[in-house]
Amino acid sequence: MNTATTPSPAEIPELPSEQAIGRLVSLLEPYRRITAPKFYGIGNLPDDGSLLVGNHTIYGFLDLPFMMAEVWKRRRIAIRGLGEHAHYKVPVWRELLGKCGMVRGTRDNVRALMRDRQTILVFPGGAREVNKGRGQQYQLLWGERIGFARLAIEQGYPIVPCAAVGADDMLDVIVDQTTPLYGQLALAYEKVMGFPTPPVVRGVGLTPLPRPERLYFWFGEPIDTTGFAGRDDDTAARAVRDEVKASVMAGIQFLRDERDKDPDRDLTKRLLRRATPDKGNVGEAHGRQPRADP
């Protein structure tokens, strides 16, 4: 793992030490037993850096820590997540994000991380995808964003499409920006804060407590961007963006299919199965790739 920092420590927080990362990972273990995350294609991550591009699930924090922890445990790769600018307007919170290794998502910061051959994670849907509304589960709300593709082409950086399923099943959105009155308040909030208003959700019963769904993660084959070397036009960036988007969507569908046929998806059934030694556990799969539509 490359733990070297870039020449701009004010913009690129130093990575936590291996001991600190290990402590953070251990804190997740009790919750990991509930979510029982299942991974596919984790071996596709290059050792010498890549740009992970995936779908943001609701609220973001329900699954992302488990993905990052598992990549660290299995591959000793520290993922540098890119943070929305709005996060850095909040005192204390921005310092906490920096201590966890998150980097403010500016072009210069991304270039510095790529020069250092670090593994970077970006969600093109950003805050809009985190705060998705009713009926938007597992949708990619990327709009026309092509910045990540431009930078990958510029630096000749490989892109690894990734997908996550499970968190969007934990909560039901019951009030969003399309809801009368709330939508007006949400619009005013966004103008002031520069960040979409979180939806009102329901999980277990009538509470906002997330349901104990199993989590599923997929990493696709790296996409080579060197074929577009020297191209800084929007056409090239859109071509890369569309290829990545199609791959992520295929990954989401693959995981949803795996989830639907997983006998251990339900927490109660999973615990009962574990309590029966002769049945054992289903185990984790690797290298199984979904076939994208032509």
Side-chain angles (χ1 to χ4, degrees):
M1 182 193 69
N2 188 352
T3 58
T5 57
T6 67
S8 180
E11 287 294 319
I12 309 293
E14 185 175 355
L15 271 174
S17 66
E18 294 195 7
Q19 293 77 12
I21 295 176
R23 287 194 294 270
L24 291 172
V25 169
S26 65
L27 289 175
L28 292 174
E29 281 304 311
Y31 306 99
R32 188 184 187 281
R33 296 177 184 178
I34 296 174
T35 59
K38 196 170 184 180
F39 290 80
Y40 300 85
I42 202 168
N44 287 332
L45 294 176
D47 291 318
D48 60 345
S50 61
L51 179 63
L52 307 183
V53 182
N55 64 303
H56 234 334
T57 55
I58 191 167
Y59 290 164
F61 63 85
L62 296 174
D63 56 359
L64 185 55
F66 296 99
M67 185 191 82
M68 299 177 76
E70 199 72 16
V71 170
W72 170 257
K73 287 198 300 183
R74 296 197 193 185
R75 298 289 309 279
R76 280 300 186 267
I77 294 175
I79 297 175
R80 306 304 299 266
L82 300 181
E84 288 267 356
H85 298 306
H87 287 301
Y88 294 86
K89 296 180 180 179
V90 184
V92 181
W93 176 244
R94 62 187 174 221
E95 284 77 19
L96 177 62
L97 293 179
K99 290 184 181 299
C100 292
M102 182 175 281
V103 179
R104 188 168 185 165
T106 67
R107 289 184 177 86
D108 288 342
N109 286 348
V110 174
R111 290 186 180 105
L113 291 171
M114 287 180 172
R115 287 195 297 268
D116 201 32
R117 305 303 299 182
Q118 297 203 36
T119 299
I120 311 161
L121 173 64
V122 63
F123 298 105
R128 183 66 61 195
E129 204 166 273
V130 168
N131 297 292
K132 58 190 62 177
R134 287 172 289 185
Q136 293 183 326
Q137 296 93 333
Y138 302 117
Q139 290 187 22
L140 299 183
L141 308 179
W142 293 9
E144 291 301 314
R145 293 186 176 183
I146 58 175
F148 75 91
R150 274 186 171 277
L151 288 168
I153 291 171
E154 175 190 299
Q155 301 293 321
Y157 223 61
I159 296 176
V160 175
C162 57
V165 162
D168 277 0
D169 301 313
M170 294 180 175
L171 298 167
D172 298 321
V173 176
I174 56 177
V175 176
D176 60 17
Q177 293 188 0
T178 66
T179 305
L181 183 58
Y182 184 84
Q184 296 175 359
L185 295 173
L187 183 60
Y189 174 89
E190 185 170 352
K191 286 182 178 179
V192 174
M193 299 299 295
F195 198 82
T197 307
V200 178
V201 298
R202 181 176 62 196
V204 177
L206 298 177
T207 76
L209 184 67
R211 292 185 288 269
E213 290 283 345
R214 191 174 197 184
L215 298 177
Y216 303 82
F217 300 95
W218 167 88
F219 300 92
E221 295 283 349
I223 294 174
D224 185 9
T225 62
T226 58
F228 293 92
R231 302 250 325 253
D232 60 357
D233 57 284
D234 287 354
T235 301
R238 286 195 184 97
V240 171
R241 190 263 322 268
D242 291 347
E243 181 179 356
V244 175
K245 187 174 183 179
S247 186
V248 173
M249 291 176 66
I252 292 172
Q253 187 58 54
F254 168 74
L255 290 179
R256 296 180 77 175
D257 291 342
E258 291 295 300
R259 175 203 61 188
D260 291 345
K261 64 185 181 183
D262 183 3
D264 286 340
R265 175 186 176 183
D266 180 81
L267 176 60
T268 302
K269 292 181 179 179
R270 191 162 64 245
L271 293 177
L272 289 174
R273 186 182 294 269
R274 286 181 177 177
T276 309
D278 59 334
K279 289 184 178 181
N281 292 323
V282 172
E284 296 183 349
H286 300 274
R288 298 174 62 181
Q289 306 299 323
R291 190 180 300 279
D293 293 334

